[in-house]
Amino acid sequence: MKAELKEFATRRGTTGPYADNLDVDVLIVGSGFGGVFCLHELRKRGFKAVIYEAGNDLGGTWRWNCYPGANVDSEVPAYELSIPEVWKDWTWSTNYPNYEELRSYFDHLDKVLDIKKDCAFDSVVVGAQFSEPEGKWYVTTEDGRVAKSKYLIVAAGFAAKRYIPDFKGIDSFKGVIHHSSFWPDETVDVKGKRCAVIGTGASGVQIAQAWGPVAGSVSVLQRTPNLAIPMGKRSLTAKEQNDSKAFYPELFAYREKCFGGFLYSLDEKNTFDDSPEERESHFEKLWHQGGFAYWVGNYKDMLLDAEANREAYNFWAKKVRARIQDPVKRDLLAPLEPPHPFGVKRPCLENNYYEQFNRPNVDVIDLNTAGIAEITPTGILFTDGSHREFDIIAVATGFDITTGGMTSMGLRSIHGTTIQDEWKAAANTYLGTTVSGYPNMFHLYGPHGPTLLSNGPTSIEVQGRWIVDCIRKIEKEGLKYINPTLEASKAWKRRINELSDKTLFPTTRSTYMGGNVPGKAFEPVNYSGGIPDYAREIRDALDDWTGFTKVK
């Protein structure tokens, strides 16, 4: 089973973006939404930019995440770039596209914007260091190339580093085993096969939905139940989309005014402003609306106040428990007592996840009762001594979330330290876009931005425009480089902590508090004040270089 990006590295060519000793204005790492948007914006302003992409094509996470049932959890058109020449001739088949349609969307992006001519695929960055005398970044790939650029943009996103637990015997398994984000493009036939899904994050939920109707058997190995909410997926016609495109510019502007970057925002009322009957009606409306409306379109105190949150959880449990027939499975999947406050772990969107457990071939195994002792050649041995045989295992254990992509890239500061070592105790950034000691380096959709509390393309465009404008400002003022100060970084860290401490997020280890990797710091890694406030704060700092040192 492949576990590291560098296992996919190859050298495709020796010319163009694959050339040795490449020298460009801007080197971008990652060709998902963030990398494509930055490349497009930089090109428009005359910069020579190239993308290094570890995958084999455009799409970022949607080239890697091709596991069964892989589907986006943000609704279109909110989940697309606001570039008019791209959306004017594009329509979707559904409001929540699957990975195949999202790959087609990135192919369309390339057709319209000619992105690939400036992309080097299968190019895994393993080292990068800034030369102060030259004012240049030197970036090394796994296959030995070295490129240099004045600016480095890390657009690897929050899920670039996979997390695979150190299961004893994992390499001994004789069947088919893959991490969900390293799933092969080839179809894995599960008909008549005994299948295990380890993990109940978004990928685990989606795999279970896909396999339930077709596999011989499916065992979902659960540590914590996913408090999943209805997706509300439906078909879209080209006509209804084209008829509404006159309003797309307003919609794209509006999403940046909403807390999570979707086309709805937190309600203006608190939970107990309404009577019990009014609350029930409000919850029902959001439930039927589908998507993340029940999460970041709910009462404004739902993520702040424990009693308010319990009301939201009770409604969720009532709706979900009614869908599960077996009382034992019901208590495992939707317990009456919440495993954690609702919404402090990003909810998964589901279509018929809970109905899968009404099938005789689908079961849930409680890892709190008996954990995984080891993976054997024929299945999984549990700590209570029981053994289950499997033909196929999906390791849906997620990622070294938010920070892992940057810490695994070999980034080295001007002080000789690595970001991997620096961030062992805690991640530190300035504005969620820069890091002290790493001049002219920018990142987006990563640590200390809205990231996992937001719709990806919205956050990316807010941060991407800031990064491009920052680069333009550096050039206009004739600067060699900028570097955020340590003091400004500490102040931003306090800001991140203060915002988080006002919420219920610190009550639970989750993707918002550093993730599930053993030994990783328990700390807030997202800006939890909402996109509008975030955009204002980073723009204010750019106006007069607040928090930065400037070198000519």
Side-chain angles (χ1 to χ4, degrees):
M1 182 176 71
K2 290 185 176 180
E4 299 289 342
L5 279 177
K6 63 184 180 181
E7 297 176 61
F8 295 86
T10 60
R11 179 76 178 268
R12 282 201 187 183
T14 56
T15 60
Y18 297 94
D20 289 303
N21 303 313
L22 191 70
D23 191 350
V24 293
D25 299 324
V26 188
L27 185 64
I28 302 166
V29 182
S31 72
F33 280 103
V36 169
F37 181 77
C38 287
L39 177 65
H40 175 64
E41 292 295 311
L42 288 163
R43 274 181 180 173
K44 286 196 304 183
R45 289 157 179 82
F47 292 97
K48 183 180 179 183
V50 160
I51 291 176
Y52 275 2
E53 165 58 49
N56 61 10
D57 210 332
L58 290 181
T61 192
W62 299 114
R63 287 294 168 182
W64 295 106
N65 283 350
C66 59
Y67 58 81
N71 201 104
V72 71
D73 60 7
S74 292
E75 194 171 17
V76 299
Y79 194 77
E80 58 186 282
L81 294 176
S82 67
I83 302 169
E85 54 266 46
V86 173
W87 56 254
K88 72 182 181 68
D89 294 323
W90 177 262
T91 57
W92 303 92
S93 67
T94 174
N95 57 337
Y96 289 95
N98 64 14
Y99 79 90
E100 293 163 311
E101 192 164 13
L102 283 155
R103 287 180 171 186
S104 296
Y105 173 74
F106 276 91
D107 290 341
H108 174 71
L109 276 167
D110 177 54
K111 180 180 178 182
V112 174
L113 303 177
D114 199 13
I115 298 295
K116 292 183 186 179
K117 73 174 183 179
D118 292 319
C119 292
F121 298 107
D122 304 318
S123 298
V124 180
V125 172
V126 294
Q129 186 163 18
F130 188 77
S131 166
E132 290 178 90
E134 292 181 70
K136 293 271 189 176
W137 276 96
Y138 281 75
V139 180
T140 306
T141 62
E142 172 68 16
D143 59 80
R145 281 171 287 153
V146 178
K148 62 180 179 178
S149 61
K150 182 173 181 180
Y151 305 99
L152 176 64
I153 299 177
V154 179
F158 68 84
K161 170 71 173 173
R162 285 75 181 162
Y163 169 56
I164 300 174
D166 188 21
F167 292 129
K168 181 181 177 182
I170 193 168
D171 293 328
S172 72
F173 184 63
K174 301 300 184 185
V176 175
I177 184 169
H178 299 292
H179 187 277
S180 54
S181 190
F182 282 155
W183 205 262
D185 280 319
E186 300 78 24
T187 299
V188 175
D189 185 9
V190 298
K191 290 178 183 176
K193 301 295 177 63
R194 300 162 297 180
C195 304
V197 181
I198 303 174
T200 53
S203 54
V205 167
Q206 292 181 343
I207 292 170
Q209 280 183 158
W211 279 357
V214 294
S217 65
V218 180
S219 296
V220 176
L221 281 59
Q222 171 184 284
R223 182 178 58 184
T224 306
N226 192 310
L227 310 187
I229 51 181
M231 177 174 279
K233 187 167 184 171
R234 64 182 181 87
S235 297
L236 298 177
T237 66
K239 184 179 186 306
E240 68 180 295
Q241 293 171 80
N242 288 327
D243 286 349
S244 65
K245 284 183 177 177
F247 305 104
Y248 272 25
E250 287 78 9
L251 291 176
F252 291 130
Y254 176 69
R255 70 182 179 180
E256 294 187 11
K257 295 177 172 61
C258 296
F259 178 87
F262 299 96
L263 297 178
Y264 44 80
S265 199
L266 295 172
D267 194 88
E268 61 188 357
K269 291 188 291 185
N270 289 313
T271 300
F272 297 107
D273 291 342
D274 279 346
S275 67
E277 295 76 20
E278 290 169 330
R279 277 199 301 278
E280 185 80 4
S281 176
H282 176 76
F283 288 152
E284 281 285 357
K285 174 186 163 189
L286 296 176
W287 194 263
H288 287 289
Q289 181 177 336
F292 285 132
Y294 194 77
W295 178 44
V296 288
N298 217 319
Y299 291 113
K300 65 182 181 182
D301 62 345
M302 192 265 284
L303 292 170
L304 308 176
D305 180 82
E307 288 186 27
N309 188 278
R310 184 61 187 261
E311 292 293 312
Y313 180 84
N314 288 344
F315 180 87
W316 174 87
K318 179 180 72 172
K319 298 294 282 189
V320 171
R321 287 174 67 87
R323 296 164 57 185
I324 306 167
Q325 295 168 3
D326 183 274
V328 175
K329 293 180 182 178
R330 185 187 303 136
D331 285 341
L332 287 173
L333 296 163
L336 290 171
E337 285 298 314
H340 52 75
F342 179 81
V344 299
K345 290 190 174 185
R346 183 173 171 127
C348 177
L349 301 187
E350 54 86 25
N351 294 310
N352 53 15
Y353 174 63
Y354 297 103
E355 284 74 14
Q356 300 310 314
F357 296 93
N358 297 331
R359 298 177 181 274
N361 66 320
V362 180
D363 195 13
V364 56
I365 297 173
D366 183 11
L367 292 179
N368 297 298
T369 301
I372 297 173
E374 68 177 287
I375 294 177
T376 70
T378 58
I380 298 176
L381 177 67
F382 294 89
T383 53
D384 63 357
S386 64
H387 182 272
R388 293 205 182 200
E389 295 199 341
F390 296 107
D391 304 301
I392 301 171
I393 299 175
V395 182
T397 49
F399 305 90
D400 182 352
I401 206 78
T402 309
T403 58
M406 294 179 71
T407 57
S408 63
M409 208 173 282
L411 299 172
R412 186 173 292 275
S413 79
I414 56 175
H415 310 300
T417 54
T418 65
I419 208 165
Q420 184 177 36
D421 288 337
E422 292 170 14
W423 285 7
K424 280 180 180 176
N428 287 281
T429 79
Y430 181 49
L431 306 179
T433 55
T434 64
V435 182
S436 181
Y438 297 80
N440 286 4
M441 184 184 83
F442 307 94
H443 66 274
L444 66 168
Y445 210 48
H448 298 171
T451 314
L452 283 164
L453 274 167
S454 72
N455 172 44
T458 312
S459 278
I460 281 162
E461 293 200 6
V462 167
Q463 293 182 309
R465 291 196 309 269
W466 186 93
I467 291 168
V468 172
D469 287 345
C470 185
I471 291 173
R472 292 175 69 197
K473 189 176 173 74
I474 293 169
E475 293 296 311
K476 183 179 179 181
E477 297 183 14
L479 302 177
K480 191 177 193 179
Y481 61 81
I482 60 162
N483 185 23
T485 68
L486 190 59
E487 293 74 18
S489 302
K490 289 179 179 177
W492 185 253
K493 179 72 170 181
R494 288 194 297 271
R495 175 68 172 151
I496 295 296
N497 291 344
E498 288 164 2
L499 288 168
S500 178
D501 287 346
K502 294 176 182 177
T503 74
L504 297 172
F505 291 120
T507 64
T508 306
R509 177 167 283 281
S510 70
T511 54
Y512 301 113
M513 296 298 298
N516 63 342
V517 177
K520 191 173 180 181
F522 180 74
E523 58 169 342
V525 290
N526 294 271
Y527 178 99
S528 52
I531 283 179
D533 284 354
Y534 175 77
R536 282 192 291 271
E537 291 196 52
I538 64 173
R539 281 289 163 180
D540 287 347
L542 183 58
D543 287 344
D544 58 1
W545 292 120
T546 301
F548 290 97
T549 57
K550 300 178 291 180
V551 176
K552 286 217 174 198

